[in-house]
Amino acid sequence: MRALLPDLTPWHSSPDFRRLWVSGFVSNFGSFLTFVALPVQLKELTGSAAAVGAIGAVELVPLVVFGLYGGALADAWDKRKLIVWTEAGQGLLCVALLVNAMLPHPAGWPLYVIAALSSALVSVQRPALDALLPRIVAHEHLPAASSLNALRWTIGGVAGPALAGVVVAYAGPGWAYGADLATFFVSVLLIIRLSPSPAAHEAGRPSLKAIVEGARYAWSRKELLGTYVVDIAAMLFATPLALLPFLADELDAEWSLGLMYASVPAGALLVSLTSGWTSRVHRHGRMVVVSAALWGLAIAAAGLSGNVWLVLLFLTLGGGFDMVSGMFRATMWNQTIPDELRGRLAGIELLSYSVGPQLGQTWAGGVAAWKGVRTSMWSGGLLCVGAVGLLAVCLPKLMTYDARTNEHAVRQREQRAAAAAAPP
């Protein structure tokens, strides 16, 4: 049993990791409240699955633009400052959501505007967060840190949506937005205490040339490229979140909406709580592919199920498989990418795990409007399996990746060891 429990070494050895973990835990909890409240409010205002799915479309452009530029900023600027200011900006957007919700007749268009602005801020912040992790955690402890970060996300992902379903149903979305605002206030107070994290000496100024340099490096690393495209394919075809309010109605189980939103992170939480085994796995690429395909199968099964409890079960299983894929993707990134490129590559990674869900919401909403909610889910899940299988055949370096022998992993391990052994 002890071998299955999460490795807490990064928590004990790095004060900055502890601060970042607690800050993220608090902030994620509130963000999941808004994550549920915003589409539910839009559904009540429009009654349209396509309108709810369009949230993903309006978030896409700022995600692409600011994700790439945010990666360049993370390499060129102090990462702590970027994290603090973007977190504060997210809090201000919660104020706008709260004000709109308190109006006698809330408008729908501000929800799209705020969703787009939030996407821009997250796209600037996330590369800085990802680039900071290898600096504050020892190289050999990065798999454990990825698991602990996954645990942080999943706890909020389970409790936040479950609570949001009750709050939105009985008190309205304004209460969810207000609670989210309070969490951002606490989070900012915590991350202000992080140590400064200035740019590496080798990093250039943020520019189009710097972004292109990062893209060329990513293209040259076919195992990294594989982690990006596999996740994009999986999320593009098998992201059912925009459909859940309508699926709950169709199954005559409106009470289950919060549980549906919580099921995917609940499965991820179960994996995170038993993640001790991940440190003993070395063929990370294979795990990424297999778990992404199993995610698609689980979503297809949920779409084919007519019983709400089976739907919840398959969504939970899907969340577990998705978490396995995510943990091993993060480990490959953190253990093999040079520090001076980490921010820009984190920007590309952000696109890989965010563009898919955003487009997936639009795809799922469109197919649901055309053929029905459940058809959208099961067909998307099967398309996910087929796409992942095809990519695995086309990218053999992903399937043969081994952290013990990969030249980039070995080089980063040796450089970190030399830096730790050097006199201060």
Side-chain angles (χ1 to χ4, degrees):
M1 285 296 297
R2 181 169 296 181
L4 291 176
L5 294 177
D7 183 355
L8 300 179
T9 304
W11 175 277
H12 295 308
S13 61
S14 172
D16 274 344
F17 180 78
R18 287 198 300 273
R19 295 185 186 104
L20 204 61
W21 194 96
V22 175
S23 168
F25 173 80
V26 173
S27 180
N28 285 345
F29 183 85
S31 296
F32 273 110
L33 293 176
T34 296
F35 176 75
V36 173
L38 193 147
V40 171
Q41 184 182 19
L42 195 57
K43 169 182 174 288
E44 293 174 349
L45 293 173
T46 66
S48 167
V52 176
I55 295 174
V58 301
E59 292 175 335
L60 181 60
V61 173
L63 182 69
V64 173
V65 174
F66 289 95
L68 291 173
Y69 190 65
L73 287 176
D75 280 336
W77 289 7
D78 188 296
K79 297 169 183 57
R80 182 184 72 90
K81 292 181 180 179
L82 275 177
I83 295 168
V84 170
W85 284 111
T86 50
E87 192 79 355
Q90 288 277 62
L92 292 177
L93 293 181
C94 272
V95 173
L97 285 172
L98 179 59
V99 170
N100 182 64
M102 293 175 64
L103 295 175
H105 301 286
W109 65 265
L111 303 184
Y112 291 109
V113 174
I114 293 169
L117 292 174
S118 177
S119 176
L121 288 173
V122 169
S123 300
V124 172
Q125 183 188 74
R126 189 57 188 261
L129 286 169
D130 290 346
L132 181 62
L133 185 64
R135 288 190 170 191
I136 62 177
V137 175
H139 183 85
E140 64 273 18
H141 298 152
L142 285 170
S146 296
S147 298
L148 290 174
N149 281 338
L151 177 62
R152 177 197 69 192
W153 179 87
T154 53
I155 292 174
V158 172
L163 178 61
V166 176
V167 171
V168 173
Y170 293 100
W175 285 90
Y177 300 144
D180 191 10
L181 176 60
T183 64
F184 277 118
F185 179 77
V186 175
S187 177
V188 169
L189 292 179
L190 287 168
I191 57 180
I192 284 176
R193 299 181 60 200
L194 291 173
S195 302
S197 183
H201 295 299
E202 299 86 353
R205 299 177 61 183
S207 63
L208 179 60
K209 180 181 178 181
I211 294 173
V212 171
E213 181 184 3
R216 286 176 177 168
Y217 178 82
W219 181 259
S220 71
R221 296 275 311 278
K222 293 302 185 281
E223 69 276 26
L224 288 185
L225 185 65
T227 65
Y228 304 151
V229 295
V230 164
D231 193 49
I232 289 174
M235 295 297 105
L236 171 62
F237 294 119
T239 298
L241 300 181
L243 304 178
L244 296 185
F246 301 92
L247 181 62
D249 289 346
E250 189 170 307
L251 295 175
D252 195 25
E254 292 83 357
W255 55 267
S256 69
L257 178 59
L259 293 177
M260 286 186 181
Y261 276 115
S263 292
V264 172
L269 177 61
L270 292 175
V271 169
S272 301
L273 288 172
T274 57
S275 61
W277 59 275
T278 60
S279 297
R280 299 186 293 277
V281 175
H282 306 287
R283 296 187 178 275
H284 302 152
R286 292 185 183 180
M287 295 299 294
V288 169
V289 169
V290 172
S291 52
L294 291 174
W295 154 263
L297 284 177
I299 297 304
L304 290 169
S305 302
N307 181 282
V308 65
W309 295 107
L310 285 177
V311 169
L312 293 172
L313 172 63
F314 288 123
L315 289 175
T316 303
L317 289 173
F321 295 133
D322 185 49
M323 177 53 64
V324 172
S325 176
M327 287 193 298
F328 286 112
R329 290 197 312 270
T331 298
M332 289 178 66
W333 300 337
N334 289 329
Q335 287 191 332
T336 67
I337 298 172
D339 181 68
E340 65 272 15
L341 288 167
R342 190 66 190 92
R344 280 165 284 178
L345 271 292
I348 296 173
E349 292 153 16
L350 173 69
L351 298 186
S352 75
Y353 59 70
S354 300
V355 168
Q358 306 309 326
L359 289 176
Q361 291 187 76
T362 305
W363 169 281
V367 175
W370 177 38
K371 288 293 185 179
V373 171
R374 293 174 63 189
T375 298
S376 177
M377 287 185 66
W378 68 256
S379 64
L382 294 181
L383 283 170
C384 164
V385 175
V388 169
L390 180 61
L391 289 169
V393 173
C394 295
L395 293 165
K397 284 193 174 182
L398 177 62
M399 297 296 290
T400 58
Y401 174 87
D402 190 321
R404 296 166 296 187
T405 57
N406 179 267
E407 59 176 313
H408 303 283
V410 171
R411 184 181 302 119
Q412 290 304 306
R413 188 160 53 243
E414 291 174 348
Q415 289 179 355
R416 294 286 297 273

